[in-house]
Amino acid sequence: MNKEMLKYLVPVVAVLVVVESVVLISKLTKKPATEEIVPEIAIEQSGGVVDQPQASQETQPPVFEVVFGADNKNLKVGEKSRVEVNLLSKGDYELDALSLFIKYDPEAFEVANLSYDERLPNPLIMKASSKAKLVLANFMVTDPGGLKVTNGDTIGLLQFDITPKKDGNFDFEISTSKDSKESATMFVETATSKDLPYSSNKLTVSVTK
């Protein structure tokens, strides 16, 4: 190969090397988006910076409100008060079953004189269980059309008397599936046999000596 040919070949090779280098660098700096995201997903799944949402009753808009009320929230030991638990509907529904479980402290309160709305069927069970620390009532609707509730309708699920036995601040609140699957408050729709989502407040009673 003579010197004259080398004079033209060397610059051409140099240009090719530079072009290949630019292409290689471009490929390395422009990784697919999936390659960049995968490590973050792996971290979340393995120890979870962010938990992935799961479909559940809690993620659905509530169609009912379970509301506590009381004659008196500030009591003295031995003084009686009447508690009401009402169901407020935000739409038109038909119900096959209603299960109500209320958590309370049996060492702090005596619960008595349980009653319910006359629109409801006779309960399968209705009692205050000091062992389970629950006030409970289960209703099964035998009418094929279910129990009809309309938008804005209010049903008195349960009423009962409470008498405090010691001083302090105490809560009465709904037991949900997060507390126990066996004592989860549910409202089962006739058409779908699914429990409908609800929200609830809690009743805090302050007791003095």
Side-chain angles (χ1 to χ4, degrees):
M1 187 178 292
N2 56 40
K3 292 183 179 180
E4 189 69 22
M5 185 177 293
L6 286 174
K7 183 173 66 174
Y8 293 103
L9 186 59
V10 170
V12 171
V13 172
V15 170
L16 289 174
V17 170
V18 170
V19 170
E20 286 294 329
S21 300
V22 170
V23 171
L24 180 61
I25 291 170
S26 177
K27 287 182 178 181
L28 290 173
T29 56
K30 294 182 179 180
K31 292 183 180 180
T34 53
E35 291 182 15
E36 295 176 355
I37 294 173
V38 166
E40 295 180 6
I41 294 176
I43 290 172
E44 291 177 4
Q45 291 177 344
S46 62
V49 176
V50 178
D51 293 330
Q52 297 297 322
Q54 297 179 355
S56 67
Q57 188 188 81
E58 287 73 14
T59 62
Q60 301 172 19
V63 301
F64 295 127
E65 286 184 25
V66 182
V67 183
F68 283 89
D71 291 342
N72 190 355
K73 299 178 184 179
N74 300 294
L75 301 173
K76 292 183 178 181
V77 173
E79 183 181 6
K80 185 169 65 176
S81 179
R82 188 71 172 170
V83 173
E84 294 185 355
V85 186
N86 295 315
L87 182 71
L88 174 63
S89 179
K90 298 181 179 181
D92 299 340
Y93 300 97
E94 296 166 352
L95 300 177
D96 260 354
L98 304 88
S99 298
L100 181 66
F101 294 88
I102 302 166
K103 298 183 292 183
Y104 83 108
D105 184 353
E107 295 184 359
F109 287 92
E110 178 184 341
V111 175
N113 300 325
L114 281 68
S115 63
Y116 56 94
D117 196 306
E118 60 182 10
R119 292 174 56 189
L120 294 170
N122 293 331
L124 296 176
I125 185 171
M126 182 177 67
K127 67 175 185 177
S129 172
S130 57
K131 183 177 181 180
K133 299 181 180 181
L134 293 169
V135 181
L136 57 122
N138 292 327
F139 303 91
M140 294 294 295
V141 182
T142 57
D143 188 329
L147 173 68
K148 293 178 174 58
V149 292
T150 58
N151 186 29
D153 201 0
T154 300
I155 297 177
L157 295 174
L158 200 60
Q159 303 88 37
F160 51 90
D161 293 334
I162 58 172
T163 305
K165 297 186 282 187
K166 63 180 181 180
D167 61 313
N169 294 321
F170 306 96
D171 292 331
F172 290 80
E173 57 186 320
I174 295 298
S175 176
T176 70
S177 58
K178 290 183 177 180
D179 301 303
S180 169
K181 291 182 179 179
E182 291 74 23
S183 57
T185 296
M186 294 189 297
F187 306 100
V188 181
E189 187 177 31
T190 302
T192 63
S193 296
K194 293 182 178 179
D195 55 308
L196 296 172
Y198 61 88
S199 61
S200 64
N201 68 340
K202 69 178 179 180
L203 173 67
T204 300
V205 179
S206 298
V207 183
T208 57
K209 292 181 178 180

Short mmCIF file of all heavy atoms in Angstrom, two decimals, residues 36-103:
data_model
loop_
_atom_site.label_atom_id
_atom_site.label_comp_id
_atom_site.label_asym_id
_atom_site.label_seq_id
_atom_site.Cartn_x
_atom_site.Cartn_y
_atom_site.Cartn_z
N GLU A 36 -35.81 1.62 33.17
CA GLU A 36 -35.60 2.56 34.26
C GLU A 36 -36.61 2.35 35.37
O GLU A 36 -36.31 2.55 36.54
CB GLU A 36 -35.70 4.00 33.73
CG GLU A 36 -34.59 4.33 32.73
CD GLU A 36 -34.78 5.72 32.15
OE1 GLU A 36 -35.79 6.35 32.46
OE2 GLU A 36 -33.91 6.16 31.39
N ILE A 37 -37.85 1.92 35.05
CA ILE A 37 -38.92 1.79 36.03
C ILE A 37 -38.83 0.49 36.81
O ILE A 37 -39.14 0.44 37.98
CB ILE A 37 -40.29 1.89 35.32
CG1 ILE A 37 -40.46 3.30 34.74
CG2 ILE A 37 -41.43 1.58 36.26
CD1 ILE A 37 -41.68 3.46 33.88
N VAL A 38 -38.36 -0.57 36.18
CA VAL A 38 -38.35 -1.89 36.81
C VAL A 38 -37.69 -1.92 38.17
O VAL A 38 -38.25 -2.46 39.12
CB VAL A 38 -37.70 -2.94 35.87
CG1 VAL A 38 -37.39 -4.22 36.63
CG2 VAL A 38 -38.63 -3.24 34.71
N PRO A 39 -36.49 -1.33 38.35
CA PRO A 39 -35.89 -1.36 39.70
C PRO A 39 -36.77 -0.71 40.75
O PRO A 39 -36.83 -1.17 41.88
CB PRO A 39 -34.57 -0.58 39.50
CG PRO A 39 -34.27 -0.70 38.05
CD PRO A 39 -35.61 -0.69 37.37
N GLU A 40 -37.49 0.41 40.42
CA GLU A 40 -38.34 1.08 41.39
C GLU A 40 -39.51 0.19 41.79
O GLU A 40 -39.88 0.12 42.95
CB GLU A 40 -38.85 2.40 40.81
CG GLU A 40 -37.73 3.41 40.56
CD GLU A 40 -38.27 4.69 39.98
OE1 GLU A 40 -39.50 4.83 39.90
OE2 GLU A 40 -37.46 5.56 39.62
N ILE A 41 -40.12 -0.50 40.80
CA ILE A 41 -41.22 -1.40 41.10
C ILE A 41 -40.74 -2.53 41.99
O ILE A 41 -41.40 -2.93 42.94
CB ILE A 41 -41.82 -1.96 39.80
CG1 ILE A 41 -42.47 -0.82 39.01
CG2 ILE A 41 -42.85 -3.04 40.10
CD1 ILE A 41 -43.02 -1.25 37.66
N ALA A 42 -39.56 -3.05 41.70
CA ALA A 42 -39.01 -4.15 42.49
C ALA A 42 -38.81 -3.73 43.93
O ALA A 42 -39.10 -4.48 44.88
CB ALA A 42 -37.69 -4.63 41.89
N ILE A 43 -38.35 -2.49 44.14
CA ILE A 43 -38.14 -1.99 45.50
C ILE A 43 -39.48 -1.87 46.23
O ILE A 43 -39.61 -2.27 47.38
CB ILE A 43 -37.44 -0.61 45.47
CG1 ILE A 43 -35.99 -0.79 45.00
CG2 ILE A 43 -37.47 0.04 46.84
CD1 ILE A 43 -35.28 0.52 44.75
N GLU A 44 -40.51 -1.34 45.53
CA GLU A 44 -41.82 -1.18 46.16
C GLU A 44 -42.42 -2.52 46.54
O GLU A 44 -43.01 -2.68 47.60
CB GLU A 44 -42.78 -0.46 45.20
CG GLU A 44 -42.39 1.00 44.98
CD GLU A 44 -43.29 1.67 43.97
OE1 GLU A 44 -44.25 1.01 43.52
OE2 GLU A 44 -43.05 2.83 43.65
N GLN A 45 -42.25 -3.54 45.67
CA GLN A 45 -42.84 -4.84 45.95
C GLN A 45 -42.07 -5.59 47.03
O GLN A 45 -42.64 -6.35 47.79
CB GLN A 45 -42.88 -5.68 44.67
CG GLN A 45 -43.88 -5.13 43.64
CD GLN A 45 -43.86 -5.93 42.36
OE1 GLN A 45 -42.93 -6.69 42.12
NE2 GLN A 45 -44.89 -5.76 41.54
N SER A 46 -40.78 -5.35 47.12
CA SER A 46 -39.97 -6.11 48.07
C SER A 46 -40.00 -5.51 49.46
O SER A 46 -39.80 -6.20 50.45
CB SER A 46 -38.52 -6.18 47.59
OG SER A 46 -37.96 -4.88 47.53
N GLY A 47 -40.23 -4.22 49.60
CA GLY A 47 -40.26 -3.68 50.93
C GLY A 47 -41.10 -2.47 50.99
O GLY A 47 -41.18 -1.78 51.96
N GLY A 48 -41.60 -2.15 49.87
CA GLY A 48 -42.64 -1.23 49.57
C GLY A 48 -42.46 0.18 50.02
O GLY A 48 -42.82 0.57 51.10
N VAL A 49 -41.91 0.98 49.15
CA VAL A 49 -41.98 2.41 49.36
C VAL A 49 -43.43 2.87 49.21
O VAL A 49 -43.92 3.67 49.96
CB VAL A 49 -41.08 3.15 48.35
CG1 VAL A 49 -41.23 4.64 48.50
CG2 VAL A 49 -39.64 2.75 48.55
N VAL A 50 -44.12 2.33 48.22
CA VAL A 50 -45.52 2.65 47.99
C VAL A 50 -46.29 1.35 47.84
O VAL A 50 -45.94 0.50 47.03
CB VAL A 50 -45.69 3.49 46.69
CG1 VAL A 50 -47.16 3.77 46.44
CG2 VAL A 50 -44.92 4.79 46.79
N ASP A 51 -47.35 1.16 48.61
CA ASP A 51 -48.19 -0.03 48.48
C ASP A 51 -49.13 0.14 47.30
O ASP A 51 -49.75 1.18 47.14
CB ASP A 51 -49.02 -0.24 49.76
CG ASP A 51 -48.13 -0.60 50.93
OD1 ASP A 51 -47.09 -1.21 50.69
OD2 ASP A 51 -48.49 -0.28 52.07
N GLN A 52 -49.26 -0.91 46.49
CA GLN A 52 -50.19 -0.88 45.38
C GLN A 52 -51.62 -0.97 45.90
O GLN A 52 -51.91 -1.82 46.74
CB GLN A 52 -49.89 -2.05 44.42
CG GLN A 52 -48.51 -1.98 43.80
CD GLN A 52 -48.34 -0.75 42.93
OE1 GLN A 52 -49.25 -0.34 42.25
NE2 GLN A 52 -47.17 -0.14 42.99
N PRO A 53 -52.53 -0.11 45.44
CA PRO A 53 -53.91 -0.17 45.92
C PRO A 53 -54.59 -1.46 45.50
O PRO A 53 -54.34 -1.97 44.41
CB PRO A 53 -54.57 1.04 45.25
CG PRO A 53 -53.72 1.33 44.06
CD PRO A 53 -52.32 0.93 44.44
N GLN A 54 -55.43 -2.00 46.37
CA GLN A 54 -56.19 -3.20 46.07
C GLN A 54 -57.67 -2.87 46.13
O GLN A 54 -58.11 -2.07 46.93
CB GLN A 54 -55.86 -4.31 47.07
CG GLN A 54 -54.40 -4.74 47.02
CD GLN A 54 -54.12 -5.82 48.04
OE1 GLN A 54 -54.97 -6.16 48.84
NE2 GLN A 54 -52.92 -6.35 48.01
N ALA A 55 -58.44 -3.51 45.26
CA ALA A 55 -59.88 -3.29 45.25
C ALA A 55 -60.48 -3.85 46.53
O ALA A 55 -60.25 -4.99 46.90
CB ALA A 55 -60.50 -3.98 44.04
N SER A 56 -61.22 -3.04 47.24
CA SER A 56 -61.86 -3.46 48.48
C SER A 56 -63.02 -2.54 48.76
O SER A 56 -63.20 -1.51 48.12
CB SER A 56 -60.87 -3.43 49.65
OG SER A 56 -60.50 -2.11 49.94
N GLN A 57 -63.81 -2.92 49.76
CA GLN A 57 -64.96 -2.09 50.12
C GLN A 57 -64.51 -0.70 50.52
O GLN A 57 -65.17 0.29 50.23
CB GLN A 57 -65.72 -2.75 51.28
CG GLN A 57 -67.04 -2.07 51.59
CD GLN A 57 -67.67 -2.61 52.82
OE1 GLN A 57 -67.32 -2.23 53.93
NE2 GLN A 57 -68.63 -3.49 52.67
N GLU A 58 -63.34 -0.62 51.20
CA GLU A 58 -62.87 0.67 51.71
C GLU A 58 -62.51 1.65 50.59
O GLU A 58 -62.47 2.84 50.80
CB GLU A 58 -61.66 0.46 52.62
CG GLU A 58 -61.98 -0.16 53.96
CD GLU A 58 -62.32 -1.63 53.87
OE1 GLU A 58 -62.04 -2.24 52.81
OE2 GLU A 58 -62.85 -2.18 54.84
N THR A 59 -62.18 1.12 49.37
CA THR A 59 -61.80 2.00 48.28
C THR A 59 -63.00 2.47 47.47
O THR A 59 -62.87 3.30 46.60
CB THR A 59 -60.81 1.29 47.34
OG1 THR A 59 -61.46 0.14 46.76
CG2 THR A 59 -59.57 0.85 48.08
N GLN A 60 -64.19 1.93 47.74
CA GLN A 60 -65.40 2.32 47.03
C GLN A 60 -66.11 3.43 47.79
O GLN A 60 -66.07 3.48 49.01
CB GLN A 60 -66.32 1.11 46.88
CG GLN A 60 -65.70 -0.06 46.13
CD GLN A 60 -66.59 -1.29 46.17
OE1 GLN A 60 -67.79 -1.19 46.43
NE2 GLN A 60 -66.01 -2.44 45.92
N PRO A 61 -66.79 4.31 47.07
CA PRO A 61 -67.55 5.37 47.76
C PRO A 61 -68.64 4.75 48.63
O PRO A 61 -69.37 3.87 48.18
CB PRO A 61 -68.15 6.18 46.60
CG PRO A 61 -67.33 5.83 45.41
CD PRO A 61 -66.86 4.43 45.61
N PRO A 62 -68.78 5.18 49.87
CA PRO A 62 -69.82 4.61 50.74
C PRO A 62 -71.21 4.99 50.27
O PRO A 62 -71.45 6.13 49.86
CB PRO A 62 -69.50 5.23 52.11
CG PRO A 62 -68.74 6.47 51.80
CD PRO A 62 -67.96 6.19 50.56
N VAL A 63 -72.13 4.03 50.33
CA VAL A 63 -73.53 4.30 49.95
C VAL A 63 -74.41 4.42 51.19
O VAL A 63 -75.57 4.80 51.09
CB VAL A 63 -74.07 3.20 49.01
CG1 VAL A 63 -73.22 3.12 47.75
CG2 VAL A 63 -74.12 1.84 49.70
N PHE A 64 -73.83 4.09 52.36
CA PHE A 64 -74.54 4.24 53.63
C PHE A 64 -73.64 4.96 54.63
O PHE A 64 -72.41 4.90 54.53
CB PHE A 64 -74.91 2.89 54.24
CG PHE A 64 -75.90 2.09 53.45
CD1 PHE A 64 -75.62 0.79 53.08
CD2 PHE A 64 -77.12 2.63 53.07
CE1 PHE A 64 -76.51 0.03 52.35
CE2 PHE A 64 -78.03 1.88 52.34
CZ PHE A 64 -77.73 0.58 51.98
N GLU A 65 -74.27 5.63 55.58
CA GLU A 65 -73.57 6.16 56.75
C GLU A 65 -74.17 5.53 58.00
O GLU A 65 -75.39 5.49 58.15
CB GLU A 65 -73.71 7.68 56.84
CG GLU A 65 -72.88 8.46 55.83
CD GLU A 65 -73.00 9.96 56.05
OE1 GLU A 65 -73.30 10.37 57.19
OE2 GLU A 65 -72.82 10.71 55.08
N VAL A 66 -73.32 5.00 58.86
CA VAL A 66 -73.76 4.47 60.15
C VAL A 66 -73.41 5.53 61.19
O VAL A 66 -72.24 5.85 61.39
CB VAL A 66 -73.08 3.13 60.47
CG1 VAL A 66 -73.60 2.59 61.79
CG2 VAL A 66 -73.32 2.12 59.35
N VAL A 67 -74.45 6.07 61.82
CA VAL A 67 -74.27 7.26 62.67
C VAL A 67 -74.69 6.96 64.12
O VAL A 67 -75.80 6.50 64.37
CB VAL A 67 -75.09 8.45 62.13
CG1 VAL A 67 -74.84 9.69 62.98
CG2 VAL A 67 -74.74 8.71 60.67
N PHE A 68 -73.76 7.23 65.05
CA PHE A 68 -74.05 7.11 66.48
C PHE A 68 -74.63 8.42 67.01
O PHE A 68 -74.24 9.51 66.60
CB PHE A 68 -72.77 6.82 67.27
CG PHE A 68 -72.29 5.40 67.18
CD1 PHE A 68 -71.42 5.01 66.17
CD2 PHE A 68 -72.70 4.45 68.11
CE1 PHE A 68 -70.96 3.70 66.09
CE2 PHE A 68 -72.25 3.14 68.04
CZ PHE A 68 -71.39 2.76 67.03
N GLY A 69 -75.52 8.28 67.98
CA GLY A 69 -76.04 9.43 68.71
C GLY A 69 -76.34 9.01 70.14
O GLY A 69 -76.48 7.82 70.43
N ALA A 70 -76.43 9.96 71.05
CA ALA A 70 -76.70 9.65 72.46
C ALA A 70 -77.43 10.81 73.12
O ALA A 70 -77.25 11.98 72.74
CB ALA A 70 -75.41 9.34 73.21
N ASP A 71 -78.25 10.48 74.12
CA ASP A 71 -78.93 11.51 74.90
C ASP A 71 -77.93 12.42 75.59
O ASP A 71 -78.10 13.64 75.67
CB ASP A 71 -79.83 10.87 75.97
CG ASP A 71 -81.03 10.15 75.36
OD1 ASP A 71 -81.35 10.43 74.19
OD2 ASP A 71 -81.63 9.32 76.05
N ASN A 72 -76.87 11.79 76.10
CA ASN A 72 -75.87 12.54 76.86
C ASN A 72 -74.51 11.85 76.69
O ASN A 72 -74.39 10.65 76.92
CB ASN A 72 -76.26 12.58 78.35
CG ASN A 72 -75.40 13.53 79.14
OD1 ASN A 72 -74.44 14.10 78.62
ND2 ASN A 72 -75.73 13.72 80.42
N LYS A 73 -73.52 12.60 76.26
CA LYS A 73 -72.18 12.05 76.07
C LYS A 73 -71.26 12.33 77.25
O LYS A 73 -70.13 11.84 77.29
CB LYS A 73 -71.54 12.63 74.80
CG LYS A 73 -72.31 12.33 73.52
CD LYS A 73 -71.65 12.97 72.32
CE LYS A 73 -72.46 12.74 71.06
NZ LYS A 73 -71.82 13.39 69.88
N ASN A 74 -71.73 13.12 78.20
CA ASN A 74 -70.97 13.44 79.40
C ASN A 74 -71.75 12.94 80.61
O ASN A 74 -72.76 13.53 81.01
CB ASN A 74 -70.73 14.95 79.50
CG ASN A 74 -69.96 15.50 78.32
OD1 ASN A 74 -68.79 15.17 78.11
ND2 ASN A 74 -70.62 16.32 77.51
N LEU A 75 -71.27 11.85 81.19
CA LEU A 75 -72.01 11.17 82.25
C LEU A 75 -71.20 11.08 83.53
O LEU A 75 -69.98 11.26 83.53
CB LEU A 75 -72.37 9.75 81.79
CG LEU A 75 -73.23 9.61 80.52
CD1 LEU A 75 -73.33 8.15 80.13
CD2 LEU A 75 -74.61 10.21 80.73
N LYS A 76 -71.93 10.79 84.60
CA LYS A 76 -71.30 10.43 85.86
C LYS A 76 -71.46 8.93 86.06
O LYS A 76 -72.35 8.31 85.47
CB LYS A 76 -71.94 11.19 87.03
CG LYS A 76 -71.68 12.69 87.00
CD LYS A 76 -72.28 13.38 88.22
CE LYS A 76 -71.96 14.87 88.21
NZ LYS A 76 -72.51 15.57 89.40
N VAL A 77 -70.58 8.36 86.85
CA VAL A 77 -70.67 6.92 87.12
C VAL A 77 -72.06 6.60 87.67
O VAL A 77 -72.56 7.26 88.58
CB VAL A 77 -69.58 6.49 88.13
CG1 VAL A 77 -69.78 5.04 88.55
CG2 VAL A 77 -68.20 6.68 87.52
N GLY A 78 -72.71 5.61 87.08
CA GLY A 78 -74.06 5.21 87.50
C GLY A 78 -75.19 5.93 86.78
O GLY A 78 -76.35 5.56 86.93
N GLU A 79 -74.84 6.96 85.99
CA GLU A 79 -75.86 7.73 85.28
C GLU A 79 -76.15 7.09 83.92
O GLU A 79 -75.23 6.78 83.16
CB GLU A 79 -75.39 9.18 85.09
CG GLU A 79 -76.41 10.09 84.42
CD GLU A 79 -75.87 11.51 84.24
OE1 GLU A 79 -74.68 11.73 84.54
OE2 GLU A 79 -76.64 12.37 83.80
N LYS A 80 -77.41 6.93 83.57
CA LYS A 80 -77.80 6.21 82.35
C LYS A 80 -77.97 7.16 81.17
O LYS A 80 -78.40 8.29 81.32
CB LYS A 80 -79.09 5.43 82.60
CG LYS A 80 -79.53 4.55 81.44
CD LYS A 80 -80.67 3.61 81.86
CE LYS A 80 -81.92 4.35 82.22
NZ LYS A 80 -83.05 3.43 82.52
N SER A 81 -77.67 6.64 79.97
CA SER A 81 -77.90 7.39 78.73
C SER A 81 -78.38 6.42 77.65
O SER A 81 -78.03 5.23 77.67
CB SER A 81 -76.62 8.09 78.26
OG SER A 81 -76.84 8.79 77.05
N ARG A 82 -79.18 6.92 76.71
CA ARG A 82 -79.70 6.11 75.61
C ARG A 82 -78.87 6.35 74.36
O ARG A 82 -78.63 7.50 73.96
CB ARG A 82 -81.16 6.47 75.34
CG ARG A 82 -81.89 5.58 74.34
CD ARG A 82 -82.15 4.22 74.92
NE ARG A 82 -83.03 3.41 74.04
CZ ARG A 82 -83.24 2.12 74.23
NH1 ARG A 82 -82.67 1.48 75.26
NH2 ARG A 82 -84.03 1.44 73.42
N VAL A 83 -78.40 5.27 73.75
CA VAL A 83 -77.58 5.35 72.54
C VAL A 83 -78.40 4.88 71.34
O VAL A 83 -79.14 3.90 71.43
CB VAL A 83 -76.31 4.48 72.68
CG1 VAL A 83 -75.54 4.43 71.36
CG2 VAL A 83 -75.42 5.02 73.79
N GLU A 84 -78.25 5.58 70.22
CA GLU A 84 -78.91 5.19 68.97
C GLU A 84 -77.86 4.97 67.89
O GLU A 84 -76.88 5.72 67.81
CB GLU A 84 -79.88 6.28 68.50
CG GLU A 84 -81.07 6.50 69.41
CD GLU A 84 -82.05 7.52 68.82
OE1 GLU A 84 -81.72 8.11 67.77
OE2 GLU A 84 -83.12 7.71 69.41
N VAL A 85 -78.09 3.95 67.07
CA VAL A 85 -77.24 3.70 65.91
C VAL A 85 -78.14 3.68 64.69
O VAL A 85 -78.99 2.79 64.54
CB VAL A 85 -76.48 2.36 66.03
CG1 VAL A 85 -75.50 2.21 64.88
CG2 VAL A 85 -75.74 2.28 67.36
N ASN A 86 -77.99 4.67 63.82
CA ASN A 86 -78.87 4.83 62.67
C ASN A 86 -78.14 4.58 61.35
O ASN A 86 -76.93 4.85 61.22
CB ASN A 86 -79.46 6.25 62.64
CG ASN A 86 -80.36 6.51 63.83
OD1 ASN A 86 -81.19 5.67 64.19
ND2 ASN A 86 -80.20 7.66 64.47
N LEU A 87 -78.89 4.07 60.38
CA LEU A 87 -78.37 3.86 59.03
C LEU A 87 -78.97 4.91 58.10
O LEU A 87 -80.20 4.99 57.95
CB LEU A 87 -78.73 2.46 58.53
CG LEU A 87 -78.21 2.09 57.13
CD1 LEU A 87 -76.71 1.88 57.18
CD2 LEU A 87 -78.92 0.84 56.60
N LEU A 88 -78.11 5.73 57.48
CA LEU A 88 -78.55 6.76 56.54
C LEU A 88 -78.17 6.32 55.13
O LEU A 88 -77.00 6.05 54.85
CB LEU A 88 -77.90 8.11 56.89
CG LEU A 88 -78.15 9.25 55.90
CD1 LEU A 88 -79.64 9.59 55.84
CD2 LEU A 88 -77.34 10.49 56.29
N SER A 89 -79.15 6.25 54.24
CA SER A 89 -78.91 5.78 52.87
C SER A 89 -78.64 6.96 51.93
O SER A 89 -79.31 7.99 52.01
CB SER A 89 -80.10 4.98 52.37
OG SER A 89 -79.89 4.54 51.04
N LYS A 90 -77.69 6.76 51.01
CA LYS A 90 -77.36 7.77 50.01
C LYS A 90 -77.91 7.40 48.63
O LYS A 90 -77.52 7.99 47.63
CB LYS A 90 -75.85 7.97 49.94
CG LYS A 90 -75.23 8.48 51.22
CD LYS A 90 -73.74 8.66 51.07
CE LYS A 90 -73.11 9.20 52.35
NZ LYS A 90 -71.64 9.41 52.20
N GLY A 91 -78.77 6.38 48.58
CA GLY A 91 -79.35 5.96 47.31
C GLY A 91 -80.49 4.98 47.55
O GLY A 91 -80.91 4.77 48.70
N ASP A 92 -80.98 4.41 46.48
CA ASP A 92 -82.07 3.43 46.57
C ASP A 92 -81.50 2.02 46.51
O ASP A 92 -80.83 1.66 45.53
CB ASP A 92 -83.06 3.63 45.41
CG ASP A 92 -83.72 5.01 45.43
OD1 ASP A 92 -83.71 5.65 46.50
OD2 ASP A 92 -84.22 5.43 44.38
N TYR A 93 -81.79 1.23 47.54
CA TYR A 93 -81.23 -0.12 47.62
C TYR A 93 -82.24 -1.09 48.22
O TYR A 93 -83.20 -0.67 48.88
CB TYR A 93 -79.94 -0.13 48.46
CG TYR A 93 -78.86 0.77 47.90
CD1 TYR A 93 -78.69 2.06 48.40
CD2 TYR A 93 -78.04 0.34 46.87
CE1 TYR A 93 -77.73 2.91 47.87
CE2 TYR A 93 -77.08 1.18 46.33
CZ TYR A 93 -76.92 2.45 46.84
OH TYR A 93 -75.98 3.28 46.31
N GLU A 94 -81.99 -2.37 47.99
CA GLU A 94 -82.78 -3.44 48.60
C GLU A 94 -81.81 -4.36 49.32
O GLU A 94 -80.81 -4.81 48.73
CB GLU A 94 -83.57 -4.19 47.53
CG GLU A 94 -84.60 -3.31 46.85
CD GLU A 94 -85.14 -3.93 45.57
OE1 GLU A 94 -84.60 -4.96 45.14
OE2 GLU A 94 -86.10 -3.37 45.01
N LEU A 95 -82.09 -4.64 50.58
CA LEU A 95 -81.15 -5.39 51.41
C LEU A 95 -81.72 -6.75 51.81
O LEU A 95 -82.89 -6.88 52.16
CB LEU A 95 -80.81 -4.59 52.67
CG LEU A 95 -80.17 -3.21 52.44
CD1 LEU A 95 -79.97 -2.50 53.78
CD2 LEU A 95 -78.85 -3.34 51.71
N ASP A 96 -80.84 -7.75 51.77
CA ASP A 96 -81.18 -9.12 52.19
C ASP A 96 -80.83 -9.37 53.65
O ASP A 96 -81.49 -10.16 54.32
CB ASP A 96 -80.41 -10.14 51.34
CG ASP A 96 -81.28 -10.71 50.24
OD1 ASP A 96 -82.49 -10.40 50.21
OD2 ASP A 96 -80.76 -11.47 49.41
N ALA A 97 -79.76 -8.72 54.10
CA ALA A 97 -79.27 -8.98 55.46
C ALA A 97 -78.55 -7.75 56.00
O ALA A 97 -77.93 -7.00 55.24
CB ALA A 97 -78.35 -10.19 55.47
N LEU A 98 -78.65 -7.57 57.31
CA LEU A 98 -77.95 -6.49 58.00
C LEU A 98 -77.30 -7.07 59.24
O LEU A 98 -77.98 -7.70 60.07
CB LEU A 98 -78.91 -5.36 58.40
CG LEU A 98 -79.76 -4.70 57.30
CD1 LEU A 98 -81.07 -5.46 57.11
CD2 LEU A 98 -80.05 -3.24 57.65
N SER A 99 -76.01 -6.89 59.35
CA SER A 99 -75.27 -7.38 60.52
C SER A 99 -74.55 -6.20 61.17
O SER A 99 -73.73 -5.53 60.52
CB SER A 99 -74.24 -8.45 60.11
OG SER A 99 -74.90 -9.57 59.56
N LEU A 100 -74.87 -5.96 62.42
CA LEU A 100 -74.31 -4.82 63.13
C LEU A 100 -73.49 -5.30 64.33
O LEU A 100 -73.99 -6.05 65.17
CB LEU A 100 -75.43 -3.90 63.60
CG LEU A 100 -75.04 -2.63 64.35
CD1 LEU A 100 -74.29 -1.67 63.43
CD2 LEU A 100 -76.27 -1.93 64.92
N PHE A 101 -72.23 -4.86 64.39
CA PHE A 101 -71.35 -5.19 65.51
C PHE A 101 -70.73 -3.90 66.04
O PHE A 101 -70.10 -3.16 65.27
CB PHE A 101 -70.25 -6.16 65.08
CG PHE A 101 -70.73 -7.52 64.67
CD1 PHE A 101 -71.12 -7.77 63.36
CD2 PHE A 101 -70.81 -8.56 65.59
CE1 PHE A 101 -71.58 -9.02 62.97
CE2 PHE A 101 -71.25 -9.82 65.22
CZ PHE A 101 -71.65 -10.05 63.90
N ILE A 102 -70.91 -3.66 67.33
CA ILE A 102 -70.41 -2.43 67.95
C ILE A 102 -69.42 -2.78 69.05
O ILE A 102 -69.75 -3.53 69.98
CB ILE A 102 -71.57 -1.60 68.54
CG1 ILE A 102 -72.60 -1.27 67.45
CG2 ILE A 102 -71.05 -0.34 69.21
CD1 ILE A 102 -73.91 -0.76 67.99
N LYS A 103 -68.22 -2.25 68.95
CA LYS A 103 -67.20 -2.49 69.96
C LYS A 103 -67.42 -1.58 71.17
O LYS A 103 -67.71 -0.39 71.02
CB LYS A 103 -65.80 -2.23 69.37
CG LYS A 103 -65.44 -3.14 68.21
CD LYS A 103 -64.02 -2.89 67.72
CE LYS A 103 -63.90 -1.54 67.05
NZ LYS A 103 -62.55 -1.29 66.48
#
